[in-house]
Amino acid sequence: MESSFIIGKFILAACVFGLSLFVAMYSTYFERKIAAFLQDRLGPNRAGPFGILQPLADGVKMFMKEEITPIVSNKWLFIFGPSLAMLTALMTGAVIPWAPTYVNGDTYFPLQVADINIGVLYLFGVVSIGVYGIMIGGWASNNKYSLMGALRASSQMISYELAMGLSIIALVMMTGTLSVREIASQQIGWHWNVLYQPLACLIFIICAFAETNRAPFDLPECETELVGGYHTEYSSMKLGFYLFAEYINMFISSAVISTLFFGGYNFPLIYNYVTDPFWVSVVGFAVMMSKTLFFIFLFMWVRWTLPRFRYDQLMHLGWKVLIPLSIINIVLTGIGMWLTDKI
Amino acid sequence: MTLYLFYILSFVAILSGLMVVFSKSPVYSVLYLIVTFFAIAAHYVLLNAQFLAAVHIIVYAGAIMVLFLYVIMMLNLNKEVEPHKPIAVKFAAVIAGGILLITLVGAMRSTQSLSKAENVNSQIGLIENLGTVLFRDFLLPFEISSVLFLAAMVGAVMIAKKDKN
């Protein structure tokens, strides 16, 4: 492995890092703009034209606010919680193929930080440890509302992880691989997985909403019952980290949904017109980003449309509806593959 | 390079394993246990068994330890409320632990050093090979163990079910 390849990977990792932060930053702005649009308001419009500098103003505000560490809290874990939430949010971007592999003669550079052959399992691993940030922060605050929020978050995330994993099994059965890059490259043209696995896709999207603690599943931070949920005691940039981690998770989940089910960087007929290797990568990246941004919009659209679930309804949906449905989907996929002689 | 990684990871695994035992607060013990699991998962990656590493993280760090932490947070076990055992129980625990240690050391001494296996397939830990082995050569044991898991799950649900009377 030559050194230019390694340097290229480092640059790519830095780019993915920057992209995640940038998209998350502007998601906060668009969330408020979309909320305003759906509620027939104007939204933030003071900082810069159309309020475009609002995220910067918010960032400065977050940093400048007084930082309070409750005296009864567990100090180290109180700091560790938001850091861990941020860390796990940023880790998932490593296995997502952002664009087709750049091939120009002998030069070969995959636009994906790490192509591991268990990419899908890596995603689940990171998602499953993502809950610790919230749990540790909620417990270390030493506040009963925080603790309730943390407990809700952990039970919700464990419950929906199961349905998420089962929904993806049907997909893995069809694609025959756990590598995210291969799953993306198999969906060339119109062969998007959503057309073959619509039920799995629906279950996966619902579970992604629950995993990111977004409305209608935002019970861990349900302000009418729990003040602020797990981040009740947090202030200043530590609170900012929690909120920011949620937006990064939303961005990454959108990228995962578009990669696994909506063709990733593929778009029908586009490679008939674009042949130059550089532009293939650029167009692929643009297609990937537009799909991802659409799903971010979907996340916001749902948040400002649906009311919050009750906690027992949430558990009922997770355990008694989504898990049986995904098991039925696995059986149906098996029968379908058997009938079409795929196995 | 791999050797140094092995030493670093082993150090982390043993140190955090000791911290599990010596930590006063149960929450810290659980967190150190998670660190131990991560070090062991990294060992699996060194052995080119990525599937095992990922599943280890998902199952142990991601599910079982979350439940541990959940229970400890629910019970809110702190130093103040931790029940103090009588001195006789502590003595009994020390003696029992010491006997276990002697047994383990004796068992270790009597084992022969394993000779290095030849023709080891270094790709055996990859998921395709693992799947082929599991579903072709060991299909029946695999299915039986999954039925066992299912039975355990049904049992847990039965115990957790509220009594209607």
Side-chain angles (χ1 to χ4, degrees):
Chain A
M1 210 184 291
E2 71 261 45
S3 57
S4 66
F5 188 79
I6 295 173
I7 293 169
K9 284 282 183 192
F10 267 107
I11 293 171
L12 188 67
C15 286
V16 171
F17 180 73
L19 183 76
S20 310
L21 292 182
F22 181 78
V23 172
M25 196 167 107
Y26 268 90
S27 296
T28 61
Y29 167 75
F30 282 109
E31 171 115 83
R32 295 168 69 178
K33 273 291 186 196
I34 288 166
F37 170 67
L38 291 176
Q39 297 168 351
D40 203 13
R41 293 185 285 119
L42 282 177
N45 62 355
R46 295 289 114 179
F50 308 108
I52 202 88
L53 298 175
Q54 188 66 37
L56 287 178
D58 281 342
V60 171
K61 182 197 80 174
M62 280 287 187
F63 274 110
M64 291 300 171
K65 270 187 161 179
E66 188 189 359
E67 183 143 1
I68 300 165
T69 309
I71 203 146
V72 288
S73 69
N74 187 323
K75 198 159 179 231
W76 286 109
L77 292 182
F78 191 73
I79 298 170
F80 187 57
S83 323
L84 195 66
M86 198 70 174
L87 179 77
T88 48
L90 284 165
M91 269 167 74
T92 332
V95 291
I96 294 169
W98 297 98
T101 305
Y102 175 75
V103 186
N104 188 8
D106 288 342
T107 338
Y108 168 84
F109 190 75
L111 290 161
Q112 179 189 19
V113 177
D115 177 26
I116 44 180
N117 61 2
I118 46 152
V120 176
L121 290 177
Y122 173 88
L123 288 177
F124 279 103
V126 176
V127 167
S128 66
I129 58 170
V131 65
Y132 284 117
I134 292 174
M135 277 187 94
I136 290 171
W139 183 79
S141 306
N142 207 349
N143 173 321
K144 59 185 164 198
Y145 295 116
S146 303
L147 185 66
M148 283 304 293
L151 294 177
R152 278 186 175 188
S154 50
S155 49
Q156 171 181 332
M157 284 173 91
I158 289 186
S159 310
Y160 278 79
E161 234 165 62
L162 287 173
M164 198 181 211
L166 287 172
S167 74
I168 216 78
I169 284 178
L171 182 75
V172 171
M173 278 164 73
M174 287 201 59
T175 55
T177 177
L178 284 172
S179 157
V180 184
R181 185 183 57 80
E182 271 181 51
I183 291 176
S185 61
Q186 280 174 6
Q187 304 177 61
I188 194 154
W190 265 122
H191 297 283
W192 293 4
N193 283 330
V194 65
L195 302 174
Y196 303 99
Q197 289 288 348
L199 187 58
C201 178
L202 186 66
I203 295 170
F204 190 87
I205 292 176
I206 293 173
C207 293
F209 275 79
E211 290 288 324
T212 47
N213 293 327
R214 291 281 300 183
F217 303 109
D218 59 345
L219 286 136
E221 44 195 299
C222 169
E223 58 281 276
T224 45
E225 295 164 21
L226 295 178
V227 190
Y230 58 89
H231 53 56
T232 303
E233 293 286 351
Y234 281 88
S235 58
S236 180
M237 203 53 206
K238 289 210 279 286
L239 172 68
F241 261 38
Y242 269 130
L243 302 182
F244 218 63
E246 184 185 312
Y247 281 96
I248 296 172
N249 278 329
M250 199 165 85
F251 168 57
I252 298 290
S253 313
S254 306
V256 171
I257 293 170
S258 31
T259 310
L260 294 182
F261 290 101
F262 289 87
Y265 47 72
N266 292 303
F267 200 78
L269 303 177
I270 212 151
Y271 299 118
N272 296 355
Y273 303 106
V274 189
T275 47
D276 183 61
F278 175 72
W279 286 107
V280 164
S281 293
V282 170
V283 169
F285 178 69
V287 169
M288 174 76 187
M289 279 311 286
S290 43
K291 285 175 187 171
T292 307
L293 292 179
F294 170 75
F295 282 105
I296 293 180
F297 172 69
L298 183 75
F299 268 89
M300 293 169 181
W301 188 7
V302 170
R303 172 168 177 181
W304 297 105
T305 308
L306 293 180
R308 189 180 283 134
F309 275 86
R310 222 170 50 219
Y311 201 71
D312 61 315
Q313 292 171 333
L314 172 92
M315 284 295 152
H316 184 271
L317 178 71
W319 288 95
K320 294 188 182 163
V321 179
L322 292 182
I323 291 181
L325 265 183
S326 39
I327 293 175
I328 290 171
N329 190 37
I330 290 173
V331 175
L332 286 181
T333 309
I335 294 172
M337 285 171 70
W338 182 58
L339 289 178
T340 53
D341 289 326
K342 289 255 179 66
I343 37 174
Chain B
M1 181 69 180
T2 318
L3 196 67
Y4 285 121
L5 274 177
F6 172 76
Y7 282 126
I8 294 168
L9 290 173
S10 308
F11 177 74
V12 172
I14 293 171
L15 184 75
S16 48
L18 288 174
M19 291 306 288
V20 174
V21 182
F22 292 126
S23 295
K24 286 267 198 265
S25 158
V27 170
Y28 277 113
S29 291
V30 170
L31 295 178
Y32 278 116
L33 195 54
I34 295 162
V35 176
T36 317
F37 284 142
F38 269 91
I40 291 172
H43 274 298
Y44 287 137
V45 174
L46 280 188
L47 294 169
N48 208 9
Q50 295 142 357
F51 174 71
L52 210 54
V55 171
H56 190 78
I57 293 292
I58 294 171
V59 173
Y60 285 94
I64 294 180
M65 293 324 287
V66 171
L67 290 179
F68 268 51
L69 206 57
Y70 193 92
V71 171
I72 288 172
M73 285 177 178
M74 277 288 244
L75 299 178
N76 209 4
L77 296 170
N78 283 325
K79 265 176 285 181
E80 299 88 55
V81 295
E82 197 180 350
H84 287 280
K85 303 268 179 359
I87 200 103
V89 175
K90 284 183 183 169
F91 256 112
V94 168
I95 291 168
I99 290 172
L100 181 66
L101 181 70
I102 291 169
T103 318
L104 283 178
V105 170
M108 290 275 277
R109 275 172 61 93
S110 63
T111 52
Q112 273 126 30
S113 62
L114 289 167
S115 58
K116 197 179 171 194
E118 280 166 30
N119 299 328
V120 176
N121 183 3
S122 66
Q123 306 295 310
I124 191 71
L126 299 186
I127 185 156
E128 281 100 349
N129 305 325
L130 205 66
T132 318
V133 170
L134 264 186
F135 286 100
R136 188 168 294 158
D137 304 346
F138 296 101
L139 181 61
L140 190 65
F142 182 76
E143 293 294 339
I144 288 174
S145 58
S146 48
V147 171
L148 215 66
F149 267 118
L150 190 67
M153 208 165 76
V154 172
V157 171
M158 282 301 289
I159 291 170
K161 210 171 154 187
K162 275 187 197 135
D163 208 351
K164 282 279 160 61
N165 304 325

